[in-house]
Amino acid sequence: MMTKEKKVRDNNDVGGFLKGVEKIGNALPHPAMIFAILSVVVIIVSYFAAKAGLSATYFDAKAGEEVTKEAVSLLNWEGLNYIFNSATENFTGFAPLGTVLVAMLGVGVAENSGLFNAALKRLLSNVPPYILTAAVVFAGVMSNIASDAGYLVVVPLGALIFANAGRHPLAGIAAAFAGVSGGFSANLAIGTTDPLLTNITNEALKASGIDMHLAATCNWYFLAVSTFLITIVGTLVTTKIVEKNLGVYNGSYKPDETPLTDLERKGLRNALIALLIFVAIMAALMFPANAPFRSFEESKNAYTLKEFLGHGLIPAMLLLFLIPGLAYGKTIGKINNSHDLVAAMTKAMQGMGGYLVLAFFAAQFVKYFEKTNLGLILAKNGAEFLQSIKLEGLPLLILFILLAAFLNLFMGSASAKWAIMAPIFVPMMYEIGLSPALTQVAYRIGDSSTNIITPLMSYFAMIVVFMQKYDKKAGLGTLTSMMLPYSMCFLVSWTALMSIWYLLGWPVGPGAPLIVETISALL
């Protein structure tokens, strides 16, 4: 009887809705072919959208002028020309492609030299098991200071950390991905997204004739608190839902459980010394007022790190892993010459073959969606609908969050969506007394929460490839079923935090109160 009850209980743990999502998703063709099919769907839909004369007219805050975008059909001779002529450029210009491949050269040296394995053994011997999940989620949230670095570093490391701790590696990927992408807007510090979105908000204010200018820190208080919320919720979802649904890991990956040798400990010390020297050199190149990596930014009339963070950070990441990996490999005798070094890089590239195939078809899908303007039209129509229902206060904020979350499924770029939505919603909410800083933070909640369940997110395809290293059968269905609980829980809990914050009347950042006094608000 007890055996039967246990069997029923286990089936409940790994069954239900999420397992259904996984089975349906994984029953579909290979993820690369799914992107190919979606590309065909976009081509067909674009024909009917163009035939119906669908368009979107909006004020482009960046350009400072009104722009009209019509639906573009790809199901005609011009579209056929575009499909063939742009295919190679779509692939080579795919945002994550160069980033992933360059960074993986350094990661390959660190991994194949044995540095990762030894470092994780050392780490896991000192980190209490009960905070391991929280540490992975928190590291993912904090990684967005360095833009997209978390996708390349924290996500694969999350799998290794969980696997070496005797837990399911896919749960480690899910926890890290949830922190990196689902919690993309949260952070204890000011990241690269803050000034980017705030500049768009300021342009929308200026275009509307509103005499107000926000600082990049205008959301800092709320997003700093959000860091702890995302860490707590992400930890609970991982342990209470995701790991239970995944069940016991029976894959081929087996962690090395032998204790560290004296030579390996010496290698770790040398790797740490090499890392500290590299970090010190990079700090000298970045932070002094006349540092070589600073370039002049005309909009701020000052030398900043904007260009380096946008273009030079990935080569720096390559060296961040290559140099300690080389120091460790030399110490233990794994890397003795240039041939061994290149062999380690080559092995890393060999494992990226599946990603290259997937990236080709994903790149076409993303570019077709962009070319047809379907995302822009959907965003504009959604914004007009929300504007037309005439809600105010907290109900309006909640619906706005839900709209941003929905639109994020069809238009991945946070700045591109905000460039469309800000000129509409910033002045609209300002006129009823809601601060532009509050409007911006509400947008960021919705935009972040659904990053982890949309194939239009640039790194979505790469996460599938990371998963297949530990489970060859893992596909889009597996990833979606894992990430759906995070997305829903983040959206609900983050919206609840926003509601409480609003009712308490706390400012969302320095000099950024929730309510502004306008003539309309006082009437």
mmCIF file of all heavy atoms in Angstrom, residues 361-396:
data_model
loop_
_atom_site.group_PDB
_atom_site.id
_atom_site.type_symbol
_atom_site.label_atom_id
_atom_site.label_comp_id
_atom_site.label_asym_id
_atom_site.label_seq_id
_atom_site.Cartn_x
_atom_site.Cartn_y
_atom_site.Cartn_z
ATOM 1 N N PHE A 361 18.831 29.538 -37.877
ATOM 2 C CA PHE A 361 17.382 29.606 -38.074
ATOM 3 C C PHE A 361 16.726 30.590 -37.101
ATOM 4 O O PHE A 361 15.771 31.281 -37.465
ATOM 5 C CB PHE A 361 16.776 28.207 -37.917
ATOM 6 C CG PHE A 361 17.167 27.267 -39.015
ATOM 7 C CD1 PHE A 361 18.160 26.320 -38.820
ATOM 8 C CD2 PHE A 361 16.565 27.344 -40.257
ATOM 9 C CE1 PHE A 361 18.529 25.457 -39.845
ATOM 10 C CE2 PHE A 361 16.921 26.485 -41.294
ATOM 11 C CZ PHE A 361 17.914 25.540 -41.085
ATOM 12 N N ALA A 362 17.241 30.675 -35.870
ATOM 13 C CA ALA A 362 16.707 31.645 -34.911
ATOM 14 C C ALA A 362 16.920 33.067 -35.413
ATOM 15 O O ALA A 362 16.050 33.933 -35.254
ATOM 16 C CB ALA A 362 17.362 31.446 -33.543
ATOM 17 N N ALA A 363 18.086 33.313 -36.014
ATOM 18 C CA ALA A 363 18.399 34.650 -36.529
ATOM 19 C C ALA A 363 17.433 35.051 -37.646
ATOM 20 O O ALA A 363 16.989 36.205 -37.715
ATOM 21 C CB ALA A 363 19.835 34.686 -37.050
ATOM 22 N N GLN A 364 17.084 34.102 -38.514
ATOM 23 C CA GLN A 364 16.148 34.418 -39.598
ATOM 24 C C GLN A 364 14.784 34.780 -39.024
ATOM 25 O O GLN A 364 14.159 35.764 -39.446
ATOM 26 C CB GLN A 364 16.010 33.219 -40.557
ATOM 27 C CG GLN A 364 17.305 32.649 -41.080
ATOM 28 C CD GLN A 364 18.263 33.677 -41.673
ATOM 29 O OE1 GLN A 364 17.860 34.601 -42.385
ATOM 30 N NE2 GLN A 364 19.542 33.545 -41.349
ATOM 31 N N PHE A 365 14.311 33.996 -38.054
ATOM 32 C CA PHE A 365 13.009 34.252 -37.436
ATOM 33 C C PHE A 365 12.954 35.639 -36.798
ATOM 34 O O PHE A 365 12.018 36.414 -37.022
ATOM 35 C CB PHE A 365 12.725 33.169 -36.403
ATOM 36 C CG PHE A 365 11.555 33.473 -35.498
ATOM 37 C CD1 PHE A 365 10.285 33.650 -36.015
ATOM 38 C CD2 PHE A 365 11.731 33.581 -34.124
ATOM 39 C CE1 PHE A 365 9.203 33.923 -35.184
ATOM 40 C CE2 PHE A 365 10.676 33.856 -33.290
ATOM 41 C CZ PHE A 365 9.401 34.030 -33.823
ATOM 42 N N VAL A 366 13.969 35.968 -36.011
ATOM 43 C CA VAL A 366 13.998 37.257 -35.322
ATOM 44 C C VAL A 366 14.030 38.407 -36.324
ATOM 45 O O VAL A 366 13.319 39.411 -36.172
ATOM 46 C CB VAL A 366 15.209 37.337 -34.367
ATOM 47 C CG1 VAL A 366 15.378 38.748 -33.811
ATOM 48 C CG2 VAL A 366 15.057 36.343 -33.222
ATOM 49 N N LYS A 367 14.840 38.271 -37.366
ATOM 50 C CA LYS A 367 14.957 39.335 -38.369
ATOM 51 C C LYS A 367 13.686 39.477 -39.215
ATOM 52 O O LYS A 367 13.294 40.591 -39.580
ATOM 53 C CB LYS A 367 16.173 39.086 -39.268
ATOM 54 C CG LYS A 367 17.491 39.458 -38.616
ATOM 55 C CD LYS A 367 17.558 40.942 -38.324
ATOM 56 C CE LYS A 367 18.877 41.366 -37.741
ATOM 57 N NZ LYS A 367 18.921 42.817 -37.463
ATOM 58 N N TYR A 368 13.039 38.364 -39.536
ATOM 59 C CA TYR A 368 11.788 38.441 -40.294
ATOM 60 C C TYR A 368 10.728 39.174 -39.482
ATOM 61 O O TYR A 368 9.977 39.996 -40.004
ATOM 62 C CB TYR A 368 11.269 37.047 -40.645
ATOM 63 C CG TYR A 368 12.110 36.271 -41.636
ATOM 64 C CD1 TYR A 368 11.819 34.941 -41.940
ATOM 65 C CD2 TYR A 368 13.205 36.857 -42.272
ATOM 66 C CE1 TYR A 368 12.581 34.222 -42.840
ATOM 67 C CE2 TYR A 368 13.981 36.140 -43.179
ATOM 68 C CZ TYR A 368 13.663 34.821 -43.447
ATOM 69 O OH TYR A 368 14.434 34.103 -44.337
ATOM 70 N N PHE A 369 10.666 38.863 -38.203
ATOM 71 C CA PHE A 369 9.691 39.515 -37.330
ATOM 72 C C PHE A 369 9.953 41.016 -37.268
ATOM 73 O O PHE A 369 9.028 41.834 -37.274
ATOM 74 C CB PHE A 369 9.764 38.902 -35.928
ATOM 75 C CG PHE A 369 8.472 38.972 -35.167
ATOM 76 C CD1 PHE A 369 7.481 38.017 -35.348
ATOM 77 C CD2 PHE A 369 8.224 39.997 -34.277
ATOM 78 C CE1 PHE A 369 6.281 38.079 -34.656
ATOM 79 C CE2 PHE A 369 7.031 40.084 -33.586
ATOM 80 C CZ PHE A 369 6.054 39.118 -33.777
ATOM 81 N N GLU A 370 11.246 41.369 -37.228
ATOM 82 C CA GLU A 370 11.620 42.785 -37.189
ATOM 83 C C GLU A 370 11.316 43.468 -38.517
ATOM 84 O O GLU A 370 10.778 44.578 -38.547
ATOM 85 C CB GLU A 370 13.120 42.891 -36.874
ATOM 86 C CG GLU A 370 13.656 44.301 -36.816
ATOM 87 C CD GLU A 370 15.158 44.333 -36.569
ATOM 88 O OE1 GLU A 370 15.646 43.494 -35.783
ATOM 89 O OE2 GLU A 370 15.837 45.169 -37.185
ATOM 90 N N LYS A 371 11.638 42.811 -39.614
ATOM 91 C CA LYS A 371 11.449 43.390 -40.944
ATOM 92 C C LYS A 371 9.980 43.644 -41.249
ATOM 93 O O LYS A 371 9.625 44.660 -41.872
ATOM 94 C CB LYS A 371 12.047 42.441 -41.995
ATOM 95 C CG LYS A 371 11.842 42.856 -43.437
ATOM 96 C CD LYS A 371 12.658 44.088 -43.794
ATOM 97 C CE LYS A 371 12.560 44.410 -45.277
ATOM 98 N NZ LYS A 371 13.325 45.631 -45.632
ATOM 99 N N THR A 372 9.100 42.746 -40.831
ATOM 100 C CA THR A 372 7.669 42.868 -41.149
ATOM 101 C C THR A 372 6.953 43.913 -40.302
ATOM 102 O O THR A 372 5.794 44.254 -40.572
ATOM 103 C CB THR A 372 6.969 41.513 -40.954
ATOM 104 O OG1 THR A 372 7.166 41.063 -39.605
ATOM 105 C CG2 THR A 372 7.528 40.471 -41.913
ATOM 106 N N ASN A 373 7.607 44.402 -39.233
ATOM 107 C CA ASN A 373 7.028 45.398 -38.311
ATOM 108 C C ASN A 373 5.846 44.863 -37.507
ATOM 109 O O ASN A 373 5.076 45.645 -36.927
ATOM 110 C CB ASN A 373 6.581 46.662 -39.071
ATOM 111 C CG ASN A 373 7.745 47.442 -39.634
ATOM 112 O OD1 ASN A 373 8.806 47.505 -39.014
ATOM 113 N ND2 ASN A 373 7.567 48.024 -40.801
ATOM 114 N N LEU A 374 5.687 43.543 -37.445
ATOM 115 C CA LEU A 374 4.558 42.971 -36.711
ATOM 116 C C LEU A 374 4.650 43.268 -35.219
ATOM 117 O O LEU A 374 3.641 43.531 -34.560
ATOM 118 C CB LEU A 374 4.506 41.458 -36.946
ATOM 119 C CG LEU A 374 4.180 41.008 -38.381
ATOM 120 C CD1 LEU A 374 4.216 39.490 -38.485
ATOM 121 C CD2 LEU A 374 2.828 41.547 -38.825
ATOM 122 N N GLY A 375 5.862 43.232 -34.669
ATOM 123 C CA GLY A 375 6.041 43.539 -33.247
ATOM 124 C C GLY A 375 5.681 44.978 -32.930
ATOM 125 O O GLY A 375 5.026 45.267 -31.920
ATOM 126 N N LEU A 376 6.099 45.910 -33.803
ATOM 127 C CA LEU A 376 5.795 47.328 -33.603
ATOM 128 C C LEU A 376 4.287 47.581 -33.641
ATOM 129 O O LEU A 376 3.738 48.306 -32.806
ATOM 130 C CB LEU A 376 6.471 48.163 -34.695
ATOM 131 C CG LEU A 376 7.998 48.257 -34.667
ATOM 132 C CD1 LEU A 376 8.500 48.912 -35.947
ATOM 133 C CD2 LEU A 376 8.458 49.052 -33.466
ATOM 134 N N ILE A 377 3.635 46.963 -34.601
ATOM 135 C CA ILE A 377 2.183 47.153 -34.752
ATOM 136 C C ILE A 377 1.446 46.597 -33.542
ATOM 137 O O ILE A 377 0.510 47.223 -33.019
ATOM 138 C CB ILE A 377 1.699 46.499 -36.060
ATOM 139 C CG1 ILE A 377 2.283 47.251 -37.259
ATOM 140 C CG2 ILE A 377 0.179 46.459 -36.129
ATOM 141 C CD1 ILE A 377 2.114 46.531 -38.585
ATOM 142 N N LEU A 378 1.859 45.432 -33.077
ATOM 143 C CA LEU A 378 1.230 44.833 -31.902
ATOM 144 C C LEU A 378 1.442 45.701 -30.671
ATOM 145 O O LEU A 378 0.520 45.919 -29.872
ATOM 146 C CB LEU A 378 1.803 43.435 -31.672
ATOM 147 C CG LEU A 378 1.174 42.608 -30.551
ATOM 148 C CD1 LEU A 378 -0.297 42.355 -30.846
ATOM 149 C CD2 LEU A 378 1.917 41.291 -30.392
ATOM 150 N N ALA A 379 2.666 46.231 -30.495
ATOM 151 C CA ALA A 379 2.966 47.080 -29.343
ATOM 152 C C ALA A 379 2.138 48.364 -29.371
ATOM 153 O O ALA A 379 1.579 48.786 -28.345
ATOM 154 C CB ALA A 379 4.457 47.417 -29.319
ATOM 155 N N LYS A 380 2.035 48.986 -30.534
ATOM 156 C CA LYS A 380 1.281 50.233 -30.658
ATOM 157 C C LYS A 380 -0.205 50.010 -30.391
ATOM 158 O O LYS A 380 -0.845 50.769 -29.648
ATOM 159 C CB LYS A 380 1.482 50.801 -32.067
ATOM 160 C CG LYS A 380 0.627 52.013 -32.388
ATOM 161 C CD LYS A 380 0.942 53.210 -31.508
ATOM 162 C CE LYS A 380 0.146 54.427 -31.949
ATOM 163 N NZ LYS A 380 0.354 55.576 -31.052
ATOM 164 N N ASN A 381 -0.765 48.954 -30.966
ATOM 165 C CA ASN A 381 -2.184 48.675 -30.769
ATOM 166 C C ASN A 381 -2.493 48.314 -29.320
ATOM 167 O O ASN A 381 -3.538 48.696 -28.780
ATOM 168 C CB ASN A 381 -2.636 47.538 -31.690
ATOM 169 C CG ASN A 381 -2.687 47.965 -33.152
ATOM 170 O OD1 ASN A 381 -2.815 49.147 -33.449
ATOM 171 N ND2 ASN A 381 -2.558 47.018 -34.068
ATOM 172 N N GLY A 382 -1.582 47.589 -28.688
ATOM 173 C CA GLY A 382 -1.763 47.263 -27.278
ATOM 174 C C GLY A 382 -1.732 48.505 -26.414
ATOM 175 O O GLY A 382 -2.532 48.652 -25.469
ATOM 176 N N ALA A 383 -0.816 49.422 -26.729
ATOM 177 C CA ALA A 383 -0.722 50.671 -25.977
ATOM 178 C C ALA A 383 -1.987 51.512 -26.151
ATOM 179 O O ALA A 383 -2.502 52.091 -25.184
ATOM 180 C CB ALA A 383 0.497 51.460 -26.454
ATOM 181 N N GLU A 384 -2.504 51.568 -27.374
ATOM 182 C CA GLU A 384 -3.718 52.350 -27.623
ATOM 183 C C GLU A 384 -4.931 51.758 -26.904
ATOM 184 O O GLU A 384 -5.787 52.484 -26.408
ATOM 185 C CB GLU A 384 -3.978 52.436 -29.128
ATOM 186 C CG GLU A 384 -2.992 53.335 -29.857
ATOM 187 C CD GLU A 384 -3.251 53.383 -31.354
ATOM 188 O OE1 GLU A 384 -4.005 52.515 -31.855
ATOM 189 O OE2 GLU A 384 -2.695 54.282 -32.015
ATOM 190 N N PHE A 385 -4.973 50.433 -26.829
ATOM 191 C CA PHE A 385 -6.076 49.794 -26.109
ATOM 192 C C PHE A 385 -6.053 50.166 -24.637
ATOM 193 O O PHE A 385 -7.081 50.528 -24.055
ATOM 194 C CB PHE A 385 -5.991 48.274 -26.269
ATOM 195 C CG PHE A 385 -6.883 47.527 -25.314
ATOM 196 C CD1 PHE A 385 -8.253 47.481 -25.507
ATOM 197 C CD2 PHE A 385 -6.351 46.896 -24.195
ATOM 198 C CE1 PHE A 385 -9.080 46.810 -24.614
ATOM 199 C CE2 PHE A 385 -7.162 46.225 -23.298
ATOM 200 C CZ PHE A 385 -8.530 46.181 -23.507
ATOM 201 N N LEU A 386 -4.867 50.067 -24.024
ATOM 202 C CA LEU A 386 -4.772 50.385 -22.600
ATOM 203 C C LEU A 386 -5.087 51.856 -22.348
ATOM 204 O O LEU A 386 -5.716 52.204 -21.341
ATOM 205 C CB LEU A 386 -3.356 50.045 -22.088
ATOM 206 C CG LEU A 386 -3.135 50.141 -20.580
ATOM 207 C CD1 LEU A 386 -4.137 49.280 -19.832
ATOM 208 C CD2 LEU A 386 -1.726 49.708 -20.222
ATOM 209 N N GLN A 387 -4.691 52.702 -23.279
ATOM 210 C CA GLN A 387 -4.974 54.131 -23.144
ATOM 211 C C GLN A 387 -6.475 54.405 -23.248
ATOM 212 O O GLN A 387 -7.001 55.299 -22.583
ATOM 213 C CB GLN A 387 -4.225 54.899 -24.240
ATOM 214 C CG GLN A 387 -4.257 56.410 -24.090
ATOM 215 C CD GLN A 387 -3.434 57.092 -25.173
ATOM 216 O OE1 GLN A 387 -3.197 56.518 -26.238
ATOM 217 N NE2 GLN A 387 -3.002 58.305 -24.915
ATOM 218 N N SER A 388 -7.174 53.594 -24.047
ATOM 219 C CA SER A 388 -8.588 53.851 -24.321
ATOM 220 C C SER A 388 -9.512 53.457 -23.167
ATOM 221 O O SER A 388 -10.650 53.931 -23.111
ATOM 222 C CB SER A 388 -9.018 53.095 -25.579
ATOM 223 O OG SER A 388 -9.021 51.697 -25.346
ATOM 224 N N ILE A 389 -9.050 52.593 -22.257
ATOM 225 C CA ILE A 389 -9.977 52.107 -21.222
ATOM 226 C C ILE A 389 -10.050 53.044 -20.010
ATOM 227 O O ILE A 389 -10.828 52.799 -19.087
ATOM 228 C CB ILE A 389 -9.617 50.681 -20.773
ATOM 229 C CG1 ILE A 389 -8.181 50.614 -20.241
ATOM 230 C CG2 ILE A 389 -9.792 49.697 -21.911
ATOM 231 C CD1 ILE A 389 -7.794 49.220 -19.778
ATOM 232 N N LYS A 390 -9.214 54.092 -20.003
ATOM 233 C CA LYS A 390 -9.372 55.200 -19.054
ATOM 234 C C LYS A 390 -9.280 54.782 -17.579
ATOM 235 O O LYS A 390 -10.046 55.268 -16.750
ATOM 236 C CB LYS A 390 -10.707 55.921 -19.276
ATOM 237 C CG LYS A 390 -10.969 56.345 -20.706
ATOM 238 C CD LYS A 390 -10.266 57.621 -21.055
ATOM 239 C CE LYS A 390 -10.630 58.092 -22.450
ATOM 240 N NZ LYS A 390 -9.741 59.127 -22.950
ATOM 241 N N LEU A 391 -8.377 53.902 -17.248
ATOM 242 C CA LEU A 391 -8.170 53.553 -15.837
ATOM 243 C C LEU A 391 -7.196 54.532 -15.207
ATOM 244 O O LEU A 391 -6.448 55.231 -15.895
ATOM 245 C CB LEU A 391 -7.621 52.126 -15.710
ATOM 246 C CG LEU A 391 -8.617 50.979 -15.933
ATOM 247 C CD1 LEU A 391 -7.892 49.649 -15.833
ATOM 248 C CD2 LEU A 391 -9.753 51.030 -14.925
ATOM 249 N N GLU A 392 -7.133 54.549 -13.871
ATOM 250 C CA GLU A 392 -6.209 55.430 -13.151
ATOM 251 C C GLU A 392 -5.577 54.684 -11.993
ATOM 252 O O GLU A 392 -6.050 53.613 -11.583
ATOM 253 C CB GLU A 392 -6.949 56.672 -12.623
ATOM 254 C CG GLU A 392 -7.486 57.582 -13.708
ATOM 255 C CD GLU A 392 -8.096 58.859 -13.141
ATOM 256 O OE1 GLU A 392 -8.112 59.012 -11.911
ATOM 257 O OE2 GLU A 392 -8.564 59.693 -13.938
ATOM 258 N N GLY A 393 -4.496 55.267 -11.464
ATOM 259 C CA GLY A 393 -3.883 54.753 -10.243
ATOM 260 C C GLY A 393 -3.344 53.344 -10.356
ATOM 261 O O GLY A 393 -2.844 52.926 -11.405
ATOM 262 N N LEU A 394 -3.485 52.579 -9.273
ATOM 263 C CA LEU A 394 -2.912 51.242 -9.181
ATOM 264 C C LEU A 394 -3.474 50.279 -10.226
ATOM 265 O O LEU A 394 -2.705 49.519 -10.830
ATOM 266 C CB LEU A 394 -3.106 50.688 -7.768
ATOM 267 C CG LEU A 394 -2.420 49.352 -7.464
ATOM 268 C CD1 LEU A 394 -0.919 49.425 -7.708
ATOM 269 C CD2 LEU A 394 -2.709 48.932 -6.019
ATOM 270 N N PRO A 395 -4.784 50.249 -10.493
ATOM 271 C CA PRO A 395 -5.285 49.349 -11.545
ATOM 272 C C PRO A 395 -4.625 49.604 -12.904
ATOM 273 O O PRO A 395 -4.327 48.668 -13.647
ATOM 274 C CB PRO A 395 -6.777 49.658 -11.585
ATOM 275 C CG PRO A 395 -7.099 50.140 -10.211
ATOM 276 C CD PRO A 395 -5.892 50.926 -9.789
ATOM 277 N N LEU A 396 -4.400 50.882 -13.223
ATOM 278 C CA LEU A 396 -3.733 51.212 -14.479
ATOM 279 C C LEU A 396 -2.304 50.676 -14.490
ATOM 280 O O LEU A 396 -1.846 50.108 -15.484
ATOM 281 C CB LEU A 396 -3.731 52.724 -14.686
ATOM 282 C CG LEU A 396 -2.962 53.241 -15.911
ATOM 283 C CD1 LEU A 396 -3.558 52.679 -17.193
ATOM 284 C CD2 LEU A 396 -2.960 54.773 -15.930
#
